[in-house]
């Protein structure tokens, strides 16, 4: 009750004041959204089903499909329309882990923290034997191991050491952080100059990748039983990756476990000092090739205004995850918030002027594929900038994909004309910590697919929490890392933004259209 009284007093005093008086906010509607979102939330229930119940949602996996089927059923239960699983195009092979066990047995028993790299094969049943330390900086260094590695467990020598950070894992933005964002200057486009640090880095990366490819081919040809590689992270956290391509015609690779830094370096130290290390392991993975296509979950609240119902307000977040945990902060959190925003709007009986469409993207982790091809199929080609008529009907797209942290504001993505509008819309949520509007761009997620064809696409500013330090793509990304109050707040603010966009007399202002990509 105190929260609502504070909200009402603050809203009445500020929403129509100052520089933003021209943008009207429906106070009654925002109060209804706050009441439903903050006091009757189902966001944690949704997150539970997407994580603990569904499991890891790797692209193409049975777990992803299970989560999609559940989400569609839930959206239908809430009364959404046109709920469907929409094919966006060919992805590649599905894959899942069915068994994963690895342990040191000599000089003593110790079960190691190790995760199969995505799209790598099984071991040949349970294997056991000596671990072989490979010292190789070039492909020719591998010649000394020819004919000696069949069936062996191998580990690469390394100069890596674990570095411990003195900063806390969990961070929330300070007022100073947010003030700096708000005062940021628009990014200035500049011509790329050949050479320089970036070019040197890319050249080093190309050489490293070439060496890695050659080593993989060598290990496969030698018939190694299992490869141990060092995962990024400390304190038992492993930030996982893929060890092979998901393409239908991908070259074979050896079975590979991404191992915690502590366990990996322990084995290396023992072997360097001439102490025998033996291990046993049983890794079973399965590939799925019956359906190589990728799919997005799509659902709508239909528009009701005769003139505006063909226009769209879109929201979304990526639904897929990595496989080391259950993808709670990346991105069950964002998906659950966007589903909850739709539930809130249905629960308050909202009849929007414009149609509201939710999309839960897949294969974001492999390159924004779900949103990129959806945009290409519906709205236009970002490479050629040949746009379809439907592109002009999308007022805005809102995205959430930066963990469990609450919303502190929004990135304008360089669209300065929209700044005063968003500032007005955030005013009712200042008491919940959301007030920052920054001209800055942010990348790495699905709003970029819309921005690339000139559709206003936005990602919200979220509290960092321990997203980059502990959970992002890691074996720590579980339901227990979610912060309930933060997710409730986020869903409430998203629902309000969607309401305002759907009811606004005009569509949202647009930036100048991007130029077509160069032919090369």
């Amino acid at each position: 009750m105190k929260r609502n009284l504070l909200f009402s007093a603050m809203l009445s005093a500020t929403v129509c004041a100052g520089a933003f008086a021209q943008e009207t906010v429906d106070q009654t509607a925002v109060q209804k959204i706050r009441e439903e979102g903050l006091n009757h939330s189902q966001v944690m229930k949704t997150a539970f089903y997407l994580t603990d119940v569904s499991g890891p949602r790797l692209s193409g996996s049975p777990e992803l499909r299970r989560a999609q089927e559940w989400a569609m059923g839930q959206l239908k239960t809430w009364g959404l329309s046109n709920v469907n699983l929409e094919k966006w195009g060919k992805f590649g092979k599905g894959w899942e882990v069915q068994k994963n066990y690895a342990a040191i047995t000599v000089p003593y028993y110790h079960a190691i923290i190790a995760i199969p790299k995505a799209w790598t094969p099984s071991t040949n049943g349970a294997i056991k034997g000596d671990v072989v330390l490979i010292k190789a900086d070039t492909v020719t260094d591998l010649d000394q191991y020819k004919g000696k590695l069949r069936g062996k467990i191998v580990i690469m020598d390394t100069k890596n050491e674990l570095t411990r950070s003195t900063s806390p894992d969990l961070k929330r933005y300070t007022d100073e952080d947010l003030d700096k964002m708000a005062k940021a200057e628009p990014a200035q486009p500049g011509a790329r100059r050949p050479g320089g640090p970036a070019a040197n880095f890319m050249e080093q990366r190309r050489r490293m990748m070439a060496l890695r490819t050659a080593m993989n081919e060598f290990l496969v040809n030698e018939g190694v039983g299992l490869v141990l590689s060092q995962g990024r992270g400390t304190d038992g956290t492993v930030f996982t990756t893929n060890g092979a391509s998901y393409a239908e015609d991908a070259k074979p690779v050896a079975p590979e476990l991404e191992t915690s830094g502590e366990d990996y370096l322990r084995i290396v130290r023992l072997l360097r000092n001439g102490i025998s290390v033996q291990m046993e392991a049983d890794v079973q993975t399965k590939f799925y090739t019956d359906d190589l296509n990728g799919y997005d979950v799509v659902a709508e609240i239909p528009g009701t205004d005769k003139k505006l119902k063909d226009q769209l307000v879109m929201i979304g977040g990526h639904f897929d995850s990595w496989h080391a945990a259950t993808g709670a902060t990346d991105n069950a959190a964002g998906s659950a918030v966007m589903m909850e925003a739709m539930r809130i709007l249905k629960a308050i009986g909202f009849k929007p002027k414009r149609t509201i469409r939710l999309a839960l993207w897949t294969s974001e982790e492999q390159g924004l594929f779900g949103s990129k091809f959806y945009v290409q199929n519906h709205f236009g080609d970002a490479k050629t900038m040949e746009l379809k008529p439907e592109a002009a009907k999308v007022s805005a797209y809102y995205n959430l994909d930066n963990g469990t942290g609450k919303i502190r504001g929004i990135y304008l993505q360089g669209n300065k004309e929209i700044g005063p509008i968003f500032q007005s819309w955030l005013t009712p949520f200042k008491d919940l910590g959301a007030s920052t509007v920054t001209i800055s761009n942010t990348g790495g997620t699905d709003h970029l697919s819309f921005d690339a064809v000139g559709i206003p696409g936005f990602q919200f500013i979220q509290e960092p929490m321990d997203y980059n330090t502990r959970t992002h793509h890691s074996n720590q990304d579980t339901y227990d890392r979610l912060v309930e109050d933060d997710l409730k707040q986020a869903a409430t603010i998203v629902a309000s933004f969607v309401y305002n966009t759907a009811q606004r007399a005009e569509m949202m202002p647009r930036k100048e259209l991007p130029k077509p990509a160069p032919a090369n």
Side-chain angles (χ1 to χ4, degrees), residues 3 15 69 123 129 163 180 188 203 213 246 251 291 323 347-349 361 371 386-388 395 405 428 438 484 488 495:
R3 174 182 278 179
V15 73
E69 295 290 346
T123 57
T163 56
K180 185 177 180 180
Q188 297 298 319
E203 180 58 30
T213 300
Y246 46 81
K251 291 183 178 181
D291 186 352
H323 60 292
I348 66 171
W361 314 114
S371 62
E386 294 178 2
L387 302 183
K388 300 181 180 182
S395 186
T438 177
E484 182 172 357
K488 288 179 179 179

Side-chain angles (χ1 to χ4, degrees), residues 81-95:
S81 303
N82 303 321
V83 179
N84 69 92
L85 197 62
E86 182 175 328
K87 182 172 73 173
W88 51 257
K90 185 175 180 180
F91 169 69
K93 295 181 289 188
W95 179 91

Side-chain angles (χ1 to χ4, degrees), residues 106-413:
V106 174
Y108 44 79
Y109 180 86
H110 169 68
I112 67 171
I113 299 172
I115 300 154
K117 280 195 170 186
W119 290 285
T120 57
S122 306
T123 57
N124 186 20
I127 62 174
K128 186 173 184 178
D130 293 323
V131 181
V132 177
L133 181 66
I134 294 181
K135 299 181 179 182
D137 295 320
T138 66
V139 177
T140 55
D141 292 338
L142 295 171
D143 290 345
Q144 60 187 304
Y145 300 103
K146 282 185 177 178
K148 302 176 182 178
L149 301 179
R150 182 160 298 278
K152 299 291 186 181
I153 300 170
V154 303
I155 190 169
M156 301 293 178
D157 197 7
T158 180
K159 296 177 183 178
N160 291 345
E161 295 181 358
L162 295 186
T163 56
R164 304 295 298 274
S165 173
T166 57
S167 301
D169 279 355
L170 193 145
K171 173 181 169 60
R172 288 190 183 271
Y173 284 129
T174 64
D175 290 343
E176 290 77 13
D177 293 331
L178 295 169
D179 186 58
K180 185 177 180 180
M181 287 188 192
K183 293 177 179 176
E185 296 293 330
Q188 297 298 319
R192 273 188 173 180
R193 291 179 294 179
N200 292 337
F201 171 80
M202 291 304 297
E203 180 58 30
Q204 291 174 6
R205 181 173 175 80
R206 278 191 289 269
R207 287 198 298 266
M208 181 182 70
M209 293 301 294
L211 177 61
R212 169 78 190 189
T213 300
M215 284 188 173
N216 281 341
E217 291 178 358
F218 176 83
L219 295 174
V220 169
N221 292 336
E222 290 297 303
V224 299
L226 178 65
V227 177
L228 302 180
S229 58
Q230 183 179 350
R232 184 173 62 87
T234 60
D235 304 314
T237 298
V238 178
F239 295 91
T240 193
T241 56
N242 59 299
S245 170
Y246 46 81
E248 183 181 11
D249 57 352
K251 291 183 178 181
V253 298
E256 184 171 353
L257 288 178
E258 205 155 21
T259 309
S260 73
E262 292 85 357
D263 285 331
Y264 189 92
L265 294 176
R266 182 196 309 199
I267 295 169
V268 169
R269 285 192 299 268
L270 288 168
L271 293 172
R272 277 182 186 162
N273 284 278
I275 299 171
S276 174
V277 177
Q278 294 181 7
M279 285 184 62
E280 58 186 15
D282 190 357
V283 178
Q284 300 303 312
T285 64
K286 185 175 181 179
F287 291 88
Y288 294 88
T289 57
D290 290 345
D291 186 352
L292 299 174
N293 293 305
Y295 299 85
D296 300 322
V297 172
V298 180
E300 292 181 342
I301 302 175
T304 58
D305 185 277
K306 289 183 179 180
K307 294 182 179 180
L308 301 180
K309 65 182 181 180
D310 289 338
Q311 295 177 7
L312 286 176
V313 181
M314 289 195 65
I315 65 171
H318 78 86
F319 206 61
D320 60 308
S321 75
W322 285 99
H323 60 292
T326 53
T329 67
D330 187 27
N331 183 41
S335 295
V337 163
M338 292 316 203
M339 289 178 67
E340 174 69 1
M342 298 293 274
R343 187 202 67 79
I344 291 170
L345 294 172
K346 286 295 293 184
I348 66 171
F350 180 41
K351 305 295 184 184
K353 293 180 179 179
R354 295 178 175 87
T355 295
I356 302 167
R357 183 178 296 168
L358 166 72
L360 302 173
W361 314 114
T362 59
S363 301
E364 185 268 358
E365 299 293 5
Q366 286 70 49
L368 313 184
F369 292 156
S371 62
K372 186 181 296 183
F373 286 105
Y374 181 91
V375 167
Q376 183 172 303
N377 294 338
H378 288 268
F379 305 131
D381 190 328
K383 292 181 180 179
T384 63
M385 286 308 297
E386 294 178 2
L387 302 183
K388 300 181 180 182
E390 290 83 353
K393 297 178 182 180
V394 185
S395 186
Y397 169 78
Y398 301 106
N399 193 77
L400 203 70
D401 175 27
N402 280 324
T404 189
K406 70 180 180 180
I407 289 174
R408 303 304 306 274
I410 194 165
Y411 296 95
L412 293 181
Q413 210 69 22

